[in-house]
Amino acid sequence: MNAFGLSCLKYTLGPFLWLQGRHVRKRTPVLPEPYGDRTGQTGRGQALRLLILGDSSAAGVGVADQQAGLLGHILQALSPHYRVDYELRARTGAKTRDALNDLQQAFDIDWPTHRQFDVVVTALGVNDVTGQLSLKKWRKQQRTLIETVHNRLRPQLMIVSGLPPMHLFPALPVPLRSYLGAWAHLFNQNLQQLSSQYTNTSFIAVSDLPQPLDVASDGFHPGPATYQRWGQAVAELIKH
């Protein structure tokens, strides 16, 4: 279904979808971000500077510590081959606009000298979907993010993670699950197409990672096995 069809569906089922969304927010437990270092150095071999930008999934929500999250699995796979200087900038609830604002803060305050990274990984979109950001604004913000990363950070590789399969999230009831899943699928199609327009930019279809889907106890965030498969997929792109 295209954006117009989904918008029509929203107006048709709007009140019911709103009630379901409100119910989900009330009953879904709020999981903490995992403990563990978000900056540091690990491994041996060729030097590699890694930056991860994103939302709660990038932050590792759904597992107890960073070693079991996206960052940890990327580092585990890269450490035998690279000396990785890493930084994780991610927080629960972050949208693409928040990631752009955070980058600007980093340029202005947190990185007093010019910073460059060899690899930048992004993981954004679920909160843009649940916040009902329009497809047009989503593309514009993602384009700005990709161009900002390339122009300011000069990575050899940018890895853009697609949205997860929201139509499979146990925390979401039907028809809200199907509705948000359809938006996530549409966002993914556009994000993949947008990523292909830039050199040194690769798209990872998180929704295509080996199934069955492993989710956290809240029925919304990735579980340990999903983080492992995702991190390994990112590492393979970096190594090749």
Side-chain angles (χ1 to χ4, degrees):
M1 187 177 293
N2 59 25
F4 177 76
L6 286 171
S7 297
C8 292
L9 186 62
K10 176 182 178 179
Y11 286 110
T12 302
L13 299 176
F16 186 58
L17 295 174
W18 181 84
L19 287 173
Q20 284 194 322
R22 183 180 180 185
H23 180 64
V24 168
R25 285 190 292 271
K26 284 185 175 181
R27 75 175 185 181
T28 302
V30 179
L31 300 181
E33 295 184 2
Y35 68 86
D37 294 335
R38 293 187 173 213
T39 61
Q41 183 183 100
T42 188
R44 62 183 65 183
Q46 179 182 345
L48 187 144
R49 297 161 297 181
L50 171 69
L51 173 66
I52 301 178
L53 295 170
D55 54 23
S56 55
S57 63
V61 171
V63 294
D65 62 81
Q66 289 294 343
Q67 289 186 348
L70 176 64
L71 171 64
H73 284 293
I74 295 174
L75 295 178
Q76 182 180 352
L78 293 180
S79 293
H81 312 281
Y82 298 92
R83 186 181 75 254
V84 185
D85 283 289
Y86 62 90
E87 181 170 349
L88 171 64
R89 301 184 70 95
R91 65 176 177 83
T92 298
K95 301 177 181 179
T96 304
R97 173 52 59 188
D98 298 316
L100 284 166
N101 291 338
D102 182 69
L103 265 183
Q104 189 59 54
Q105 175 182 306
F107 296 139
D108 294 340
I109 301 173
D110 301 337
W111 298 334
T113 57
H114 181 63
R115 289 292 299 271
Q116 288 187 323
F117 291 90
D118 300 302
V119 179
V120 177
V121 181
T122 63
L124 293 156
V126 168
N127 297 307
D128 293 303
V129 167
T130 59
Q132 291 291 274
L133 184 70
S134 71
L135 181 61
K136 182 178 180 180
K137 289 183 178 179
W138 157 257
R139 283 184 61 93
K140 181 178 180 180
Q141 291 179 9
Q142 282 289 322
R143 182 181 296 278
T144 301
L145 178 63
I146 292 172
E147 293 181 354
T148 299
V149 165
H150 281 299
N151 292 337
R152 299 292 298 272
L153 300 177
R154 303 289 182 182
Q156 298 175 23
L157 175 64
M158 181 176 183
I159 299 175
V160 179
S161 301
L163 283 72
M166 296 183 70
H167 65 285
L168 299 178
F169 282 7
L172 300 175
V174 176
L176 181 64
R177 183 191 305 177
S178 301
Y179 173 73
L180 294 179
W183 272 115
H185 178 69
L186 188 60
F187 274 35
N188 267 332
Q189 288 181 323
N190 279 262
L191 187 57
Q192 184 172 13
Q193 188 273 335
L194 181 64
S195 301
S196 69
Q197 298 176 9
Y198 296 88
T199 59
N200 302 326
T201 304
S202 295
F203 175 84
I204 281 187
V206 176
S207 60
D208 291 342
L209 292 175
Q211 300 296 324
L213 181 70
D214 177 51
V215 296
S217 58
D218 64 353
F220 195 85
H221 286 93
T226 298
Y227 277 126
Q228 181 181 28
R229 293 190 291 262
W230 185 8
Q232 289 174 345
V234 169
E236 285 302 312
L237 278 177
I238 294 172
K239 289 188 289 186
H240 295 94

